[in-house]
Amino acid sequence: MMLRIPQVLTPEQVRRCRQLLDAADWSDGRATAGHLAAQVKHNRQLGDDQPAAREIGELVLQALGRHPLFVSAALPLKVLPPRFNRYEGGGHYGPHVDAAVFSVPGTPHRIRSDLSATLFFSEPHEYEGGELTVQDHFGPHSAKLAAGDLVLYPGTSLHHVTPVTRGVRLAAFFWVQSLVRDDSQRSLMFELDTAIQQLARDTPGHPALDRLTGVYHNLLRQWANT
């Protein structure tokens, strides 16, 4: 499932992030890539120790925790602190699959990458190219979203970023270990939760709400990996 999650950040938060990112010290993105990924990765990245990375990362994590659509779709157990990249002058990232497990910087902990996420800081009209293209069983799907919006997709997906031929594309990227590891099960949970919420809005007090909510939590109890 590839899902757009709108307005993770407010316009004011996006402006603050842009100020920090525009003034930041960027380095070659290949430094953080594995052997194969380094051959197709052509962008710049913000070091994890940069003050801007820490400030924006904390802001993003707090915003994610407050966003009901993200929580419903991802069922997050752990979220890797966001990283930040910059594409310009033909920069791109060729087809690749993200690593299965990531270490949390400065800790002994690791996160399984059930879900990948990209949060956009640049508006689509500010640059040409730069589409995130994700391949699934039904073919390729592209995303180039408004600043403050996020795209969420399975970490198992083959994906790439097309060359940025004009302007600058700024984004955060990170990974989520979900309570529900299996993507098909997680998608069913999301569909069920969405239907329950719609029924609650359209028909408050409907007797089926309690039963459906019980089914949701019993499925979560059965499928959750903690």
Side-chain angles (χ1 to χ4, degrees):
M1 177 178 65
M2 184 175 180
L3 180 68
R4 175 193 174 191
I5 301 181
Q7 300 176 346
V8 171
L9 299 181
T10 66
E12 293 76 15
Q13 290 172 324
V14 170
R15 281 194 289 272
R16 173 58 180 165
C17 293
R18 286 290 298 267
Q19 290 174 350
L20 293 168
L21 293 172
D22 288 341
D25 184 17
W26 296 86
S27 56
D28 192 334
R30 289 174 293 184
T32 61
H35 173 69
L36 292 177
Q39 300 177 41
V40 296
K41 186 177 184 181
H42 301 278
N43 64 10
R44 301 176 73 190
Q45 194 165 315
L46 201 59
D48 294 335
D49 59 345
Q50 292 282 329
R54 292 196 295 269
E55 180 176 337
I56 303 173
E58 183 61 31
L59 185 154
V60 170
L61 290 176
Q62 291 178 5
L64 291 172
R66 295 191 298 264
H67 202 291
L69 183 58
F70 172 80
V71 174
S72 176
L75 293 172
L77 176 63
K78 303 175 184 177
V79 180
L80 191 73
R83 301 174 180 179
F84 306 90
N85 55 28
R86 179 185 181 105
Y87 290 84
E88 59 187 320
H92 62 281
Y93 201 158
H96 65 285
V97 175
D98 294 332
V101 177
F102 289 89
S103 297
V104 181
T107 78
H109 305 299
R110 296 187 176 187
I111 287 180
R112 187 182 63 241
S113 58
D114 297 326
L115 291 158
S116 299
T118 296
L119 174 62
F120 292 80
F121 293 113
S122 300
E123 297 290 356
H125 69 267
E126 294 184 274
Y127 60 99
E128 291 182 0
E131 290 86 0
L132 170 66
T133 302
V134 179
Q135 185 78 32
D136 67 13
H137 298 298
F138 302 101
H141 305 272
S142 294
K144 184 175 179 178
L145 305 183
D149 289 2
L150 179 144
V151 60
L152 190 67
Y153 57 98
T156 55
S157 303
L158 181 69
H159 58 283
H160 67 274
V161 177
T162 63
V164 173
T165 57
R166 178 186 63 81
V168 177
R169 177 193 190 267
L170 296 169
F173 61 102
F174 57 92
W175 296 272
V176 179
Q177 181 171 330
S178 177
L179 285 164
V180 177
R181 180 175 184 171
D182 183 82
D183 182 58
S184 62
Q185 293 174 342
R186 193 170 53 249
S187 296
L188 286 173
M189 295 294 294
F190 177 63
E191 292 295 329
L192 179 57
D193 188 31
T194 300
I196 291 171
Q197 293 183 45
Q198 182 176 346
L199 181 62
R201 289 192 301 268
D202 296 346
T203 316
H206 193 287
L209 280 169
D210 288 339
R211 294 174 61 189
L212 289 171
T213 302
V215 170
Y216 176 90
H217 286 289
N218 285 331
L219 285 174
L220 182 59
R221 186 176 291 110
Q222 180 177 337
W223 290 340
N225 296 284
T226 59

